[in-house]
């Protein structure tokens, strides 16, 4: 209102109700101590007037302000989610050897670029279609996949573009997760093929199932009788533990299985040669990701001005639960590393932060702060168990992307069926029932975990294994040893200027005795 009428309105004092008119006293000059020297009235909530009924702002103008606030909120949140690409880039650059730094940064750049084009042309349409409910005859949209609005052709009034922008940032994040699983040995051409498949079809189908108004698992699905396909509430995944993180994580798992481990993996005598190049970059990346996660989770309210303050208040609570889960994940890994490993492991704690963040992404709006602490605590152990488990199975995941995103993503989805409360579900989704208490909600969440894991694993196999058998997935042993910066990008040196041929001469004695992940 202040932006419209250039007045400071102070509704906290001297409020009175007369007939259908609400009046309060304000100051005609913002930021001064002149006191309440001007009476301002809301007449039937149709307009804002002074005491002599001179209109200052109509309800239509106030509605416009609310809409503008909502759109700006989504845009800023989308920018924060896109900023996470910088976090992924720094984390991955610090976690790979220096001779592969250029390659991993290039993949991050191409993830965002390819996703922008493919998601604009087809992916967004497959995910959300015409954005109408099933009973509104939405055309070719169905419970499995969306259709229509190809290349945003329906957006001719400039009021809906913020939705695409926000969702594209999510699609790009899902694609980037995969790069960590296949780092240091995947050919770029193969990676591009998979990124296109993921952002065009694999990810949009999952997003349609859970987030669109016609998807069969969606909490927003409503038929002609007002019912959801999965009784009673559908699947509750507020910001994407399942939709984004499980999709990227399980896709990366299939890629890691298909491509095979790096040389020296699980070789006690030489495994030190696989240590990442920079703890500094890795730590910087995680802090950037943590910051961006507030856009990821809180931005998923998709509004700030609507709901008479309920949207922005919910966003504030989401920020709190997100913070507590991340912090608890880090603390749990810190204590575990000191007790079990005998020293404080920075990389382990950084992954603990991410484990907590991924775990809370689905339930961040529907649980209390104490529950978010438990979710982060248990999420850390889920990550630890999964990390040790895949190593025992001989699966090489250089950044632990599958344990963090795939397995903790599944835990985040399931935790909504355990810790969500009736009041929080009602506040967030508007459902008044006992689905959590009677086990119905956990059943829905479990179905989502199984179906998402199965869908992504199956479709990813159709991409990665044909590429493998065609000899197009992995670089040669010679190229891997030299480093992908040289073989794929023509770079004669690593990012630190050291000749690549010298980087293979790391000395085991130069690695710090306790926990160092720095190559020498």
């Amino acid at each position: 209102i202040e932006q419209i009428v250039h007045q400071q309105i102070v509704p906290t004092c001297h409020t009175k109700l007369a007939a259908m008119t609400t009046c309060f006293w304000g100051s005609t000059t913002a930021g001064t101590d002149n006191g309440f020297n001007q009476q301002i009235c809301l007449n039937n909530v149709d307009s804002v007037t002074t005491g002599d009924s001179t209109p200052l702002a109509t309800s239509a103008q106030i509605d416009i302000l609310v809409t503008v606030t909502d759109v700006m909120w989504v845009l800023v949140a989308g920018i924060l989610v896109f900023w996470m690409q910088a976090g992924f880039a720094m984390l991955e650059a610090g976690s790979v050897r220096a001779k592969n730094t250029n390659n991993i940064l290039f993949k991050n750049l191409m993830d965002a670029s390819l996703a922008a084009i493919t998601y604009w042309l087809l992916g967004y349409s497959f995910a959300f279609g015409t954005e109408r409910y099933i009973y509104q005859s939405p055309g070719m949209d169905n419970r499995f996949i969306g259709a229509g609005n190809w290349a945003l052709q329906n957006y001719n009034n400039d009021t809906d573009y913020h939705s695409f922008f926000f969702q594209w940032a999510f699609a790009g994040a899902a694609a980037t997760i995969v790069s960590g699983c296949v780092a240091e040995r995947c050919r770029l051409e193969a990676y591009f093929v998979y990124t296109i498949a993921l952002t065009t079809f694999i990810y949009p189908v999952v997003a349609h199932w859970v987030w669109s108004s016609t998807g069969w698992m969606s909490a927003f699905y409503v038929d002609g009788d007002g019912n959801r396909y999965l009784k009673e509430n559908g699947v509750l995944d507020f910001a994407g533990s399942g939709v984004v993180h499980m999709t990227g994580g399980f896709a990366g798992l299939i890629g890691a299985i298909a491509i095979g481990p790096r040389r020296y993996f699980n070789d006690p005598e030489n495994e030190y040669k696989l240590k990442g190049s920079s703890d500094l970059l890795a730590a910087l990346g995680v802090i950037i990701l943590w910051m961006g996660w507030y856009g990821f989770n809180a931005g998923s309210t998709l509004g700030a001005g609507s709901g008479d303050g309920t949207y922005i208040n919910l966003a504030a609570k989401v920020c709190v639960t997100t913070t507590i889960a991340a912090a608890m994940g880090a603390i749990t890994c810190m204590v575990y590393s000191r007790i079990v490993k005998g020293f404080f492991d920075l990389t382990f704690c950084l992954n603990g932060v991410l484990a907590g963040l991924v775990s809370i992404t689905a339930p961040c709006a529907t649980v209390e702060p104490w529950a978010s602490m438990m979710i982060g605590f248990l999420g850390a152990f889920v990550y630890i168990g999964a990390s040790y488990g895949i190593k025992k199975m001989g699966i090489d995941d250089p950044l632990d992307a599958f344990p963090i995103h795939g397995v903790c993503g599944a835990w985040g989805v399931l935790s909504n069926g355990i810790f969500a409360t009736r009041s929080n579900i009602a506040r967030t989704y508007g459902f008044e029932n006992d689905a959590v208490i009677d086990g119905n909600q956990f059943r829905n969440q479990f179905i989502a975990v199984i179906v998402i894991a199965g869908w992504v694993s199956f479709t990813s196999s159709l991409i990665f294994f044909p590429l493998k058998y065609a000899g197009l997935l992995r670089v040669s042993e010679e190229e891997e040893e030299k480093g992908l910066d040289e073989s794929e990008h023509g770079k004669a040196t690593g990012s630190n200027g050291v000749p690549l041929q010298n980087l293979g001469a790391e000395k085991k004695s130069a690695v710090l005795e306790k926990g160092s992940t720095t190559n020498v």
Side-chain angles (χ1 to χ4, degrees):
I1 295 174
E2 182 180 351
Q3 294 179 15
I4 296 176
V5 302
H6 306 290
Q7 305 262 358
Q8 181 185 24
I9 297 174
V10 186
T12 56
C13 301
H14 304 296
T15 302
K16 65 178 181 179
L17 184 64
M20 295 301 292
T21 301
T22 300
C23 299
F24 43 88
W25 292 92
S27 173
T28 57
T29 306
T32 68
D33 297 323
N34 293 337
F36 304 126
N37 60 3
Q38 177 71 59
Q39 187 184 52
I40 300 173
C41 300
L42 292 176
N43 298 323
N44 296 321
V45 202
D46 287 330
S47 63
V48 180
T49 72
T50 61
D52 60 1
S53 299
T54 302
L56 297 176
T58 65
S59 60
Q61 289 173 309
I62 295 174
D63 288 342
I64 291 173
L65 179 59
V66 170
T67 300
V68 169
T69 303
D70 287 344
V71 172
M72 182 60 70
W73 173 259
V74 172
L75 290 176
V76 171
I79 292 169
L80 280 173
V81 176
F82 178 67
W83 176 236
M84 293 173 69
Q85 291 288 347
F88 281 121
M90 294 300 98
L91 172 60
E92 294 181 11
S95 300
V96 301
R97 290 166 288 180
K99 61 186 178 182
N100 297 308
T101 303
N102 193 278
N103 178 261
I104 204 72
L105 293 175
F106 190 83
K107 286 178 179 176
N108 276 266
L109 176 64
M110 289 299 104
D111 278 333
S113 301
L114 290 171
I117 302 302
T118 58
Y119 203 66
W120 164 61
L121 288 174
L122 297 172
Y124 187 72
S125 299
F126 288 147
F128 296 100
T130 55
E131 301 178 83
R132 290 182 291 182
Y133 291 105
I134 204 75
Y135 64 84
Q136 294 175 319
S137 300
M140 298 298 294
D141 291 4
N142 56 54
R143 297 188 187 101
F144 177 77
I145 195 169
N149 194 24
W150 310 109
L152 307 183
Q153 63 181 353
N154 291 0
Y155 285 1
N156 54 13
N157 58 3
D158 296 339
T159 61
D160 299 306
Y161 285 109
H162 62 288
S163 177
F164 166 79
F165 176 73
F166 188 69
Q167 296 298 337
W168 155 72
F170 276 58
T176 302
I177 293 168
V178 183
S179 63
C181 295
V182 297
E184 300 198 302
R185 72 266 201 213
C186 184
R187 294 182 61 173
L188 276 176
E189 297 85 353
Y191 187 75
F192 293 159
V193 169
Y194 182 75
T195 297
I196 292 171
L198 179 75
T199 55
T200 302
F201 184 66
I202 299 174
Y203 168 81
V205 168
V206 178
H208 179 79
W209 291 347
V210 181
W211 284 342
S212 80
S213 54
T214 56
W216 67 278
M217 288 194 289
S218 177
F220 310 107
Y221 175 97
V222 179
D223 62 19
D225 297 323
N227 298 318
R228 272 155 287 283
Y229 191 77
L230 285 183
K231 307 293 187 294
E232 301 173 27
N233 301 334
V235 172
L236 305 182
D237 185 0
F238 187 75
S241 288
V243 175
V244 179
H245 297 284
M246 277 190 68
T247 298
F250 275 87
L253 172 67
I254 299 301
I257 293 172
I259 202 170
R262 295 166 294 171
R263 185 182 181 187
Y264 307 128
F265 177 74
N266 273 350
D267 179 356
E269 292 297 318
N270 294 291
E271 197 168 17
Y272 71 95
K273 296 180 180 179
L274 299 180
K275 298 297 183 181
S277 60
S278 174
D279 286 341
L280 173 62
L281 287 178
L284 176 62
V286 170
I287 294 299
I288 292 174
L289 285 170
W290 192 343
M291 174 184 175
W293 229 286
Y294 293 116
F296 206 97
N297 286 4
S300 292
T301 60
L302 302 181
S306 296
D308 296 325
T310 57
Y311 280 44
I312 195 63
N313 289 333
L314 179 61
K317 179 181 179 180
V318 166
C319 287
V320 171
T321 56
T322 299
T323 300
I324 292 173
M328 196 64 205
I331 292 170
T332 303
C333 285
M334 175 195 68
V335 174
Y336 180 91
S337 67
R338 183 65 182 87
I339 294 175
V340 177
K341 294 186 174 186
F343 59 92
F344 295 107
D345 190 330
L346 173 63
T347 301
F348 210 61
C349 293
L350 292 175
N351 287 342
V353 171
L354 298 178
L357 288 169
V358 172
S359 299
I360 197 61
T361 298
C364 58
T366 52
V367 300
E368 293 299 316
W370 70 266
S372 69
M373 183 187 70
M374 293 302 301
I375 291 169
F377 172 75
L378 294 173
F381 283 104
V382 168
Y383 152 66
I384 293 167
S387 179
Y388 283 125
I390 64 170
K391 287 181 175 64
K392 288 292 185 181
M393 292 187 288
I395 300 172
D396 182 12
D397 183 350
L399 276 89
D400 268 346
F402 172 69
I404 293 170
H405 297 278
V407 184
C408 287
W411 159 240
V413 174
L414 292 175
S415 69
N416 231 345
I418 301 172
F419 292 105
T421 65
R422 175 172 179 160
S423 61
N424 281 311
I425 292 175
R427 179 188 187 190
T428 305
Y429 294 94
F431 307 147
E432 286 281 2
N433 53 55
D434 293 318
V436 174
I437 296 175
D438 62 25
N440 177 275
Q441 195 60 57
F442 186 84
R443 181 206 66 179
N444 290 357
Q445 304 300 111
F446 183 76
I447 290 172
V449 167
I450 298 301
V451 172
I452 293 173
W455 165 258
V456 176
S457 299
F458 172 72
T459 51
S460 298
S461 297
L462 297 180
I463 304 297
F464 279 118
F465 284 101
L467 287 171
K468 174 184 179 179
Y469 295 129
L472 301 174
L473 182 59
R474 183 166 181 157
V475 299
S476 66
E477 289 186 11
E478 180 182 359
E479 291 173 322
E480 182 180 347
E481 186 65 24
K482 288 182 177 180
L484 301 189
D485 286 3
E486 181 176 359
S487 63
E488 296 278 7
H489 304 282
K491 302 286 288 186
T493 61
S495 61
N496 58 359
V498 179
L500 287 174
Q501 58 268 28
N502 293 344
L503 292 176
E506 297 124 325
K507 301 298 182 181
K508 190 173 183 178
S509 59
V511 179
L512 296 178
E513 183 177 350
K514 286 188 176 183
S516 172
T517 59
T518 303
N519 281 337
V520 178

